[in-house]
Amino acid sequence: LSRNTSGRWRRRDADPEFMSEFHEAGPELTVARIPELVHGKVEEGVANFLAGQLAVECARLKQCGVERVLPLSCSGFCTQDSGAHVWNHVEVLTKYNFDNVRQILVSEPQPLPMKEHFMFVFVVLQTDKHELATLSMLLPFVFDRRNKRNTLKAWTFVNAAGKESRLRVDAFKAT
């Protein structure tokens, strides 16, 4: 990765067609600065807390041998109860098509200190497209722990272009 003149990160050897999905401006892979990682509909105190936790989790993943971790910017989270499932809805500030995700990993829930009854998890999305098989996209998700029906297995990701992708976790495995 290298920084370009606008302060964005760019992989020199990346497939330009694939990488253009990550940023509206073109083939640059955007890695947001920590204060910008979570914003928009998310309250400022929660956003700042999650940004700090996201930085710690990125560093931890790299120490565990995950070479390419891409923190994604989120503009909002919510849950939607369809009757059959509780869908965890995440709006992500990227043009990436989440239909290309091949694996979803969800961390253990942790309390959100400034919000009673709320927890957060880290969601790792992995793709196998091209040589980027080991790219791990990381984002936080906040949810109300009082909703006992939410198993964190049904996910809806909406990109900046409004493209909605529904994905499911088949099973959780302890690591």
Side-chain angles (χ1 to χ4, degrees), residues 80-148:
Q80 299 169 324
D81 195 333
S82 69
H85 304 287
V86 174
W87 291 91
N88 299 291
H89 182 88
V90 186
E91 295 171 7
V92 188
L93 299 174
T94 179
K95 285 180 19 181
Y96 180 73
N97 180 354
F98 291 100
D99 289 346
N100 293 321
V101 169
R102 298 295 172 244
Q103 185 174 21
I104 302 173
L105 306 171
V106 180
S107 72
E108 286 293 322
Q110 301 174 50
L112 190 63
M114 67 284 303
K115 290 286 206 182
E116 187 178 4
H117 306 297
F118 283 82
M119 306 284 280
F120 75 97
V121 293
F122 292 111
V123 180
V124 179
L125 306 171
Q126 296 181 326
T127 181
D128 63 357
K129 187 168 183 173
H130 303 301
E131 76 280 2
L132 298 174
T134 59
L135 178 65
S136 297
M137 297 172 279
L138 178 68
L139 56 92
F141 180 74
V142 175
F143 64 99
D144 188 336
R145 67 181 167 87
R146 294 174 293 187
N147 185 344
K148 303 298 182 195

Side-chain angles (χ1 to χ4, degrees), residues 3-78:
R3 279 194 190 259
N4 66 16
T5 56
S6 65
R8 294 191 176 112
W9 288 98
R10 171 184 201 134
R11 272 205 62 226
R12 293 179 205 175
D13 61 338
D15 173 7
E17 180 182 325
F18 176 73
M19 297 313 288
S20 68
E21 297 174 6
F22 285 100
H23 192 264
E24 295 177 1
E28 297 174 347
L29 170 61
T30 300
V31 178
R33 291 184 299 275
I34 291 300
E36 299 168 350
L37 284 170
V38 184
H39 58 82
K41 299 175 195 167
V42 182
E43 295 173 22
E44 186 176 346
V46 173
N48 291 337
F49 173 79
L50 291 175
Q53 295 300 305
L54 195 59
V56 170
E57 184 66 6
C58 283
R60 188 190 74 76
L61 288 172
K62 288 178 181 180
Q63 284 180 340
C64 292
V66 179
E67 293 180 20
R68 293 160 57 187
V69 178
L70 175 66
L72 296 178
S73 299
C74 299
S75 62
F77 324 107
C78 69

Side-chain angles (χ1 to χ4, degrees), residues 87 98-99 101 104 153-157 165-169:
W87 291 91
F98 291 100
D99 289 346
V101 169
I104 302 173
K153 289 186 175 182
W155 293 89
T156 304
F157 297 96
S165 300
R166 288 200 163 200
L167 306 167
R168 295 202 31 99
V169 175

Side-chain angles (χ1 to χ4, degrees), residues 94 157-165:
T94 179
F157 297 96
V158 180
N159 69 14
K163 166 76 171 90
E164 185 175 291
S165 300

